[in-house]
Amino acid sequence: MAPRSAIPSNLYSSPPDFDALAESYPPLKPHVFLNATGKPSINFKDIDAQRRLTEALLYRDFGLSLALPDGRLCPTRRLNYVRWIQSLVRSVRPWESDVTPDLVLGLDIGTGASAIYPLLSCAVEPLWRIVATDIDEISLEYARKNVNENDLSARVDIRRSSVEGPILHPLTDAALPIFDFTMCNPPFYSSAEDIVQSASAKDFDPHAVCTGSDIEMITPGGEVAFVQKILEESLSLKHRCRWFTSLLGKLTSVASMVDRFRETKIDNYAITEFVQGHTRRWAVGWSFGAVRLPDRIAHPTSSVLNSASPLPTTLHQHYPTPATVESLFSSLYAVLNDIDGVSYITKDPSNPDDINNGGNVPSDPGSERVLVSVGQNTWSRAARRRKQLSAPTTSLQSSVPSDLHVAEHASFWKCEISVEHSPPRHGAHGPTEFVLSVQWRVGASRGDFESFWSHVTRKVGAKLAGDPGDRKRS
């Protein structure tokens, strides 16, 4: 069995070696046969074969054992959702000020009989704890059995929900710390007729069999209504969870959720897409916090969802030669030093101890990040005009904290600036370029972030060009 840290994120991107898998998990052996091409396979439309396959993969790859009752969902293709949340948590926590050390707390809504998400989460992340809920007594019974069988009762708390009660009720438990995330695989369908229509439209994997019960697959209004109920409840529990997330089974549901985000003025949201075999699924996430996700986590790769995607948090500015790494960083530092209310530190990611305040210029692009803290807008024409008309005040430079955590002040925000090589944009014979890139990390005002970046890149460009009038122009 592979060490948990060695499990690749694309573990199930290709079919397994069924013969080898059956050797590691003998109950699978009776279901393995040679298909028409002479390769070992199983009948994916056979419920028993699908259950044994799931058991075998969990046992081989994670050391997990699983008991499933008849008539309940057999979990498949679940790791990618856990991996996405893992990336989200790792991106957010370094920038939060109120994290509980050595503890990541999640809520799994509708955990099912398998409790698959708590089991996988605990297998890949040793510091995670999960509160898992369900409304079905059979599912709750087996979920507890699976948690106990895998010695995870100290890390997974199974709780009963009710159809009439709130979905997010564990978030109101004052004995629990702030949750880092919620996750949910909601009932996809609004009725039995909806299931039939979706099957005919091939929303189901045509190469597999559906093993779920009505209570797991059907809810009034379908998945959009269910997830929107989570969203409505989250509006009054904003600061009890850093990120709310859910899977979605239909592409149209993504647009419906984004419409609701925009209606409720939620601009800090994320979309991703999971493609595995013949199945395509999506996930959405939203947050009321100030920490922003990188585009690689918050943006789907499919262009179909471009109009629904959040605005980018990573921006780039190209500078052609004769710009160099040294000249770019020197110009950047000079520009930052000229802005009141801004502090920064530089850090070489390859050397955790190498942090200095406006220190040495790196020799290699990409080897250094400039972590910028901004107290308020002091760079715009309007801000400078106000300053000229007001009485002299102490500079904000020393009042802006240089640590990486979120400040309480609403206008406070942070970004990360780096320099990277860029291939010629105009063919192989074009000039080599360097790119100044910024990653928005913390903040509520997108307008201030974009205004700051526009000011910085313009001033850096002027300094690189040796423009003597740069200081005089605003």
Side-chain angles (χ1 to χ4, degrees):
M1 186 186 305
R4 300 295 173 258
S5 60
I7 295 173
S9 58
N10 61 344
L11 181 62
Y12 302 125
S13 60
S14 58
D17 181 334
F18 289 100
D19 277 343
L21 185 60
E23 285 298 322
S24 67
Y25 189 76
L28 180 64
K29 281 187 178 183
H31 300 282
V32 177
F33 63 91
L34 295 180
N35 62 20
T37 64
K39 295 181 179 179
S41 186
I42 67 166
N43 181 3
F44 286 93
K45 294 189 176 183
D46 183 311
I47 293 176
D48 287 338
Q50 194 177 95
R51 290 179 187 275
R52 301 296 87 76
L53 173 61
T54 297
E55 293 167 359
L57 291 172
L58 290 173
Y59 177 78
R60 182 194 68 180
D61 298 329
F62 302 98
L64 295 170
S65 61
L66 200 64
L68 292 172
D70 293 336
R72 292 298 184 271
L73 277 172
C74 176
T76 58
R77 306 179 181 90
R78 304 302 172 93
L79 183 61
N80 44 19
Y81 185 25
V82 173
R83 288 297 199 192
W84 181 63
I85 291 180
Q86 186 181 41
S87 298
L88 187 153
V89 169
R90 289 178 177 178
S91 177
V92 167
R93 277 179 71 87
W95 303 91
E96 295 282 2
S97 59
D98 54 356
V99 296
T100 303
D102 300 328
L103 171 64
V104 172
L105 183 61
L107 170 62
D108 179 26
I109 300 164
T111 195
S114 65
I116 187 63
Y117 286 126
L119 297 185
L120 284 177
S121 296
C122 291
V124 301
E125 283 288 354
L127 298 181
W128 284 19
R129 284 176 50 203
I130 307 293
V131 177
T133 65
D134 210 290
I135 62 172
D136 177 44
E137 288 298 339
I138 294 177
S139 293
L140 288 167
E141 175 189 348
Y142 274 84
R144 292 189 180 101
K145 182 183 297 185
N146 284 314
V147 167
N148 292 333
E149 181 68 23
N150 290 282
D151 297 322
L152 291 171
S153 56
R155 298 175 58 195
V156 180
D157 179 7
I158 305 293
R159 300 190 180 189
R160 190 183 190 282
S161 293
S162 66
V163 176
E164 302 81 12
I167 297 174
L168 298 177
H169 62 91
L171 271 62
T172 64
D173 186 344
L176 294 174
I178 294 174
F179 282 74
D180 290 277
F181 64 88
T182 70
M183 63 194 312
C184 178
N185 185 19
F188 287 163
Y189 304 102
S190 59
S191 65
E193 291 75 18
D194 190 15
I195 295 178
V196 172
Q197 291 174 0
S198 295
S200 63
K202 296 186 179 180
D203 280 353
F204 282 136
D205 184 343
H207 300 276
V209 63
C210 178
T211 63
S213 64
D214 286 355
I215 199 170
E216 295 173 296
M217 299 181 63
I218 298 174
T219 190
E223 63 180 0
V224 170
F226 190 89
V227 182
Q228 285 189 351
K229 184 180 179 184
I230 297 176
L231 190 155
E232 297 307 315
E233 291 185 19
S234 74
L235 293 173
S236 61
L237 295 165
K238 294 180 179 180
H239 304 299
R240 284 293 294 151
C241 182
R242 295 186 175 90
W243 276 87
F244 301 85
T245 80
S246 180
L247 275 176
L248 293 170
K250 300 178 182 179
L251 178 60
T252 54
S253 299
V254 178
S256 297
M257 288 305 305
V258 170
D259 286 344
R260 189 61 185 140
F261 293 154
R262 292 169 178 170
E263 290 168 4
T264 51
K265 310 300 182 184
I266 297 173
D267 71 340
N268 197 6
Y269 69 92
I271 302 171
T272 194
E273 183 178 44
F274 308 121
V275 180
Q276 193 166 318
H278 301 278
T279 302
R280 192 178 298 265
R281 292 287 181 262
W282 299 265
V284 293
W286 65 98
S287 175
F288 302 97
V291 179
R292 302 284 168 163
L293 293 175
D295 294 342
R296 61 181 173 79
I297 298 174
H299 282 226
T301 55
S302 172
S303 59
V304 174
L305 289 167
N306 281 351
S307 62
S309 296
L311 292 173
T313 58
T314 307
L315 303 177
H316 309 279
Q317 178 63 44
H318 291 252
Y319 295 100
T321 51
T324 64
V325 176
E326 291 81 3
S327 64
L328 262 177
F329 271 107
S330 295
S331 298
L332 174 63
Y333 294 149
V335 170
L336 294 177
N337 287 333
D338 284 344
I339 305 175
D340 287 338
V342 170
S343 67
Y344 64 92
I345 60 175
T346 58
K347 181 176 177 64
D348 181 350
S350 64
N351 183 358
D353 298 321
D354 180 20
I355 299 180
N356 54 81
N357 289 287
N360 300 323
V361 175
S363 58
D364 297 319
S367 67
E368 183 167 302
R369 298 290 185 269
V370 182
L371 311 178
V372 182
S373 302
V374 183
Q376 65 184 57
N377 185 335
T378 61
W379 56 86
S380 66
R381 289 188 180 92
R384 293 198 300 274
R385 194 173 299 118
R386 285 194 299 269
K387 181 178 179 180
Q388 290 172 354
L389 295 174
S390 63
T393 58
T394 303
S395 171
L396 290 172
Q397 184 78 18
S398 61
S399 66
V400 179
S402 61
D403 63 275
L404 302 185
H405 297 104
V406 181
E408 294 298 324
H409 198 283
S411 64
F412 185 86
W413 57 273
K414 291 177 179 288
C415 64
E416 221 175 357
I417 302 176
S418 61
V419 174
E420 302 167 1
H421 275 301
S422 174
R425 288 185 292 172
H426 305 292
H429 302 293
T432 300
E433 295 182 326
F434 287 106
V435 181
L436 202 60
S437 298
V438 66
Q439 174 62 57
W440 188 18
R441 288 296 188 181
V442 179
S445 173
R446 182 173 188 89
D448 279 351
F449 165 64
E450 291 183 343
S451 170
F452 172 79
W453 185 238
S454 175
H455 176 83
V456 167
T457 54
R458 180 170 56 83
K459 291 289 186 179
V460 167
K463 288 185 180 299
L464 290 173
D467 186 348
D470 173 53
R471 260 189 186 280
K472 298 179 182 179
R473 287 196 298 269
S474 54

